[in-house]
Each structure stands twice: as structure tokens, then as C-alpha cells.
Amino acid sequence: MRRLGYVALLLAGLLVLSAGHALSGERRLVLVGSPELRSLNLNAAEIRQLFLGYAVTKDNHDVTAAINKSDALLYEVFLQKVIFMSSQTYERQLVAKVFRYGGQLPPSFARPEELTAALNSRPGLVTFMWEDNMRQLPGVTVVNELWHGSIE
Amino acid sequence: MNTDSHRPAARPDKKPPQRFYRTLGPALLALAACQIAAPAQAAGTNQFFFFPAAAYAWRSEDPAGAARKREGEIDLDLFYTADRGNLRFLAEVFGKTDGESEIEIERLQLSWKLDGDSRLWLGRFHNPIGFWNTDYHHGAFLQTSISRPGIVEFEDDGGVVPTHLTGALIEGFTVRRSAVWRYDLALGAGPELRSDLRPLEIHEPGEGSHDVALTARLSWQPGDSRNSVGAFAGYYKIPGADPTPTDVRQQLAGLTADWQFGARTTMRATAYVVDNELSTSGVATRDSFRNGNLQLEQALGAQWIAYGRIEGSRGADGDAYLNLLGGFVRERQLIGLRYDLAKNQAVKAEISKVHLSGERFDQINLQWSAVYP
């Protein structure tokens, strides 16, 4: 009976901790892609190149990025914590890159199901999303952590 | 957008009007080729942009060496690119009207993707002498300011270094130890010297005399930042034509920096050393000058950017090469304001003090620019 009490206490403690965690708004922004990209250890410079519209070749993978616009807050955090630009400046940079080197603008998705379909059908395609949203998606894995912290 | 240019008003060998019509045909053909390739758009392998702009310039004086005192201009820059496997095609056609009409095939390039992240391009391209000439060329919406530094002004607007080459270009980048190294190596045909520099027109390959041009550039971008620094060097043999044939061997070298301080402040700076060896009727002269520019940009909220730029030269007064060309901006101080009306439209205003050869005047520039789609 005493053992059961300890377990109950431990569970209650975990519940309180996880509730506190959720209340503080702590979230993880992750780079996701197909499972073959799981071991692809992209560094910050490579991730930045990807989201500025360049293709990056690493470990025999041609990696390209898609812009996830399915969640306004997610996009804003991505701009502030990963790209360090306002949306206007960022979108101007993307056009400037195509103007300079040719190629295409990164594909942009406003609907999660279209984004998931693209990640499953285009080899080497990566994007960013909240880790807790990613867990619900089939055939998608975390490639890198981009940022974690509280959202005020 | 060259309402900012200061080319001489009276030019004995100014481009004849029929040149417009001679360029119009190939330009329309280039655009038709883009349309033929349009099915690729559905597959997401091509991209089309057009950049319209309207500008107005007012000058405090009407100096003999400058353009008109008041000047309006409407520009349209059409850009198209498409990928087919490892092949990439890029075309840019620029047209403007400022009392006269002009249309030009700015770029026409075809590339093959080499290993990794590099490409070999063939065709007419922008000479990689610093970011002003490659990242900000036509396409007025993309650059923060209205004007561009005098040292990289376009050849037909009083430019003194080659801004367009025709030949081969290798460009690419590599990531080493969390830093991005970008490289460009260009070898091709440079401009001809008349009363201004005349780059090779790709639709008139036999016209004029063009000799070897070589440019190399390397830049370094640390970590995950927007910052970059770079160096470049070029060598150009520029054959002279009428009125007094003067052949020029030009060597230039420069340093460039694009640096962000915090989230809102950006500094862009470039320094050049230009050495010219002139040969007129067998008599050789050698002269050199230095030029630098520094632009600071301060974001004021999401839609406003205030900016200022200083440009200066040493050794430019009396320089034998610069004396052959009119309208080079030796010094300039300007302040300006950019307001983004929407994600694809901006209005800008600039006030500047300009120093040409022996002439100084104030100037106000206004511009609306956009990108579609």
C-alpha cells in the first residue's frame, strides 16, 4: 500500500511538472524530413542556406527546403529565431536569390496535409514544424533541432 | 533605373534609334522561348518575375556633363529561369523609356550543374565585381536604395568598369566548418571603349571589338548569420574605337562587406582600386584611382528603412582614363527612406549631394518599384 502511495506521488509530481512545462510555453522547433535524412547532421550554415533557397548536397542527399506556412505563430518564430529577418525582408531575399542564380523559390505550403504529402513524395525535402505536431505525421522524422524555448 | 545616371547629354556616337528595333526582335524571341517553356511552370521547374518601376529625378543645377535637370523614367525588367535536370536557363530583358526608348537583353545564360553546389554558365552575365553588381542590378525593388554607387554604374550610364561579360562563368558555394564560401570565376569578352564602355550585345556578336575579360571573386559567410565579407579581382583588355582609339588594360581589385548589427542595422561597404594602362597612337599612359562606398540601413519597424550612403574617390581628378568617360560620380552623400507598401511594392525617396568631374549639385530621387507575381 505504501509502495502504491509512492507511485501515485511520483505520477502526481510528473503531472505537475509536465503541466508547468506546458504552461511555460516551452516548445521545440525542429527540422523534419523523410526517415532517410535522420542521420543527416546539418550545421547551422547549411540550414540557413537551405531556407535561403539553395540546394545543399550532403552525404549523397540533395536536400532542399519547403516553407511551412500552416501556422502563423510557427512561421513568425522561424523568422525570428532561425532566419533573423522580418517576413518582408526574407521574402525579398528569396526573390533576390532566384534573380541572382536562377532556380525556383522554395515551395510554400499553407495546408499541413499538402506539406506532409510533399515530404513523403519528394526525396531530400525538409521543412520546419513544432515537434509535438510532427509526432502525428506518418513517415516524417526529426533531422535537426532548430530552436527551443518559451513563447511569450 | 537610371534617373540617377549622369551621362553626358551630347554624345556624338549615341546609340541610334534603330538599335532599339534591332534589339526588340531578339528580345521578343527570348520571351517567346520563355513562353514555349511555360509548361514547366506547372511542374514547378521554372520561375518568371517582372519588375516594373517608375522614377523621377530633380537636380539643382543643369550641369553640362549631366543628363537633364528634371527626368522621369519608366522601367520594366522581365526575368525568366527554368531547370531541366542538370541544365538551367536564365534570361533577363530590360526596357526603359525616359523620352527615348531602350530595350536590352541583359542576361542570356545556360548552365550545367557540376558536382556539389557549383554551376558552369555560358552566355551573357553580370560581372561578379561585388554584390552591388550581381545581387542588385536591374530589378529596382530588390535593392534598398534608388541609386547604386557610381563605380558600378551600368556601362551605358557612365560606368567605368565592365558590369556585363559574355563567356563562361563558374559559380558556387561550399560549406566548411559552419561557414559558407562562395566563389565566382568568369572568363569572357569584355566591353569596347567609345565615348562610353560598350559591352558585347549577345544578339550582335560581330559588332564592335571585344577582348579578354577575367574576374575572380571569393566571399566568406560565417555560421548562421547574414554577414559576409569578400574579395574580388579583374583584368580586362578594352579595345578602343572612335573618335580617338585608345586601348585600355584595366586591372581592378576590391573588398566587400555586408554586415548586420542586431536585427535592424545593416552595413554594406565596398572598396576598389582601379589601375588603367592607356595606349593612344602608340603612346602609353598609366593611371590609377581608388573608390569606396559605405551604406548603412536602419529598419524602423516592419515597413520602413532609413538609409544613408557615402561614396568617395582618390586620384580620380585628372585621371587619364576617367577623362575619356563622362559622368563618373566621384563623390556622393545621400540619405533616403524606403517604405514597403506591400510585400511586393515599395516607394523610396533619396536626397543626395553629387560630385562629378568639376561639377557639384544636389539631387532628389523618387521611385515606386514592385515585383510580380
Side-chain angles (χ1 to χ4, degrees), chain A residues 86 88-89 92, chain B residues 144 264 297-307 336-341 347-349:
Chain A
S86 68
Q88 298 212 351
T89 305
R92 188 152 55 106
Chain B
T144 303
R264 294 180 173 273
E297 300 175 10
Q298 177 70 38
L300 309 167
Q303 290 170 292
W304 293 90
I305 301 174
Y307 60 90
L337 200 58
R338 174 190 174 111
Y339 176 68
D340 284 296
L341 290 167
V347 288
K348 309 172 201 172

Side-chain angles (χ1 to χ4, degrees), chain B residues 11 13 19 29 63 67 87 91 100 105 133 215 270 311 326 348:
Chain B
R11 306 180 74 100
D13 61 343
R19 190 168 178 133
L29 272 177
L87 276 174
E100 302 167 16
I105 299 176
N133 199 48
T215 303
T270 317
E311 298 172 45
K348 309 172 201 172

